[in-house]
Amino acid sequence: MTVVHRRDFLRIAAASAAGLAMTGAPLRSALAAPLMIGVLIPGSKSDKGWMESGYDGMRAAEKRHGDKIKVSFIENVKFADMEQALVALATKNALVIGVGGQTEASVRKVAKRFPKVKFSVVGGNRGTQDDNVSQYDVRQAEIAYVAGAAAAMLSKSGAISYVGGLEIPAIVNAGKEFGNGARSIKPDIKYNESYTGDFDDVAKSKEATLAAISQGADIHYHILNLGLRGMEQAAREKGTHIIGSYTDRCGTNPLYVAYTITGVGFQVEYAIDQVVAGTWHAEFKPFGLAMGPKASDIAICSGSTPEMLARLNEIKKDTLAGTITVLES
C-alpha cells in the first residue's frame, strides 16, 4: 500500500481541481486509498476452529478484493482487553469486525464512541439494533441437530458426546440440539454433554472427552477453539472419532469422520463484501441452512452410506420447512 503524506495529498487535490476546471471532468488519482478494515480475533487464528475459520474468511476477502481493501487484525485478546483493542481498530478503519459473540458487548460500547465507523459481530445476538452495528447469527444449534443425527448413525457403540466451552445460551443450545438430533435417529442413544468453562483449555477438554469415552462414547462433537486439541488427544489415545466444527477439512486428519460448516469465515467475507459494494447496513441477519452450504452444512468424511446421506438431506429439508424446529443460537 502506498502511503500518501499530507503535502502530497494537497498537491494531488489541487491538480485534480485544476483538471476539473479545464476539462469539466475529475482526474482519476492513481493513489486512491484502499478501504480500511480491522478484524478482532479473540483467540488463535490457528485453532482449527471458529477463529481460524474467521481468519480464513478475512484472507479470502483480501485475495478477492485486492488493493481495494487493506486489512489489519488483532488476535489472542482477553475479554478484559477487548475494548482497548477495538478502540485501536476503530481509530484506523471504516469497518471493524468482531469474530465471536464474546466481542459483542465491547463492540456495542465502542461503537457508540465511533458513530461513523461500521461494526459487524460474527456470532451476534438479536437485540437492540444500533445504527452502526450488525449482528450475524451463526445458527450453530440448527446444524448441531444435523450433526447429532449423523453421530447417531456413525456411532458403533450407541454412545456419543458433546463438549462445549463457555456455558452460555448459544453453546448450550447447540449441545441440546446435538442430543435431540441424535435421539431422532436412535431414541435410546447414550448422550454425554459437558462444558469446560473455557474454549481454549486443552487439559479440561481432554478430561471431559476421556470421561465421556469411559461411558462408552465413540463419536464426539464440540464447540471449542484451542481446547479441541485436548479432545483430539483423548480420541487418538482411545481410538474414538470426532465430528469437527466450522470448516470442512475432510481428508486432513483420520480422527474426523465428519465436519459441520458454520460459515464463520463466510460471514466475515459477507461484511467485507457489503462495505466494499456500499450496501452495508446495520442489521440482524441469521446465517444458516437457508443461506446455502457456505453458511451451514455437514460433510461426512468416512463411513457414510447412500441411506445416511439421504436421511441427513431429509433432515435439512425438514428444518428449512419448519417441520423440525430447533432452539435459537
Side-chain angles (χ1 to χ4, degrees), residues 28 31 77 85 109 112 182 195 232 250 273 287 307 319 324:
R28 294 191 64 178
L31 299 177
V77 180
K109 189 173 181 181
K112 289 178 171 57
Y195 301 88
E232 289 179 338
C250 280
D273 290 349
F287 287 73
E307 292 77 17
T319 302
I324 295 173

Side-chain angles (χ1 to χ4, degrees), residues 46-63:
S46 304
D47 67 351
K48 295 185 181 177
W50 179 292
M51 304 300 164
E52 188 166 341
S53 177
Y55 176 79
D56 289 346
M58 181 189 80
R59 288 303 187 205
E62 272 188 308
K63 186 176 181 179

Side-chain angles (χ1 to χ4, degrees), residues 232-313:
E232 289 179 338
Q233 290 170 11
R236 189 177 297 110
E237 289 174 12
K238 299 298 183 180
T240 59
H241 292 88
I242 301 169
I243 296 178
S245 296
Y246 312 118
T247 302
D248 177 4
R249 302 182 189 277
C250 280
T252 62
N253 188 331
L255 285 176
Y256 290 83
V257 290
Y259 288 90
T260 57
I261 296 102
T262 46
V264 174
F266 180 70
Q267 291 172 54
V268 171
E269 289 190 73
Y270 174 87
I272 294 173
D273 290 349
Q274 293 292 301
V275 80
V276 170
T279 57
W280 187 99
H281 60 283
E283 60 179 330
F284 172 80
K285 188 173 184 64
F287 287 73
L289 292 170
M291 288 289 289
K294 287 185 178 181
S296 184
D297 205 355
I298 189 166
I300 307 298
C301 307
S302 61
S304 68
T305 64
E307 292 77 17
M308 178 190 298
L309 297 178
R311 182 73 180 100
L312 292 175
N313 283 331

Side-chain angles (χ1 to χ4, degrees), residues 19 55 78 122 133 135 149 172 186 207-208 219 237:
Y55 176 79
K78 294 179 180 178
V122 176
V133 180
Q135 304 91 252
V172 172
K186 293 181 181 176
E207 181 182 354
I219 301 291
E237 289 174 12

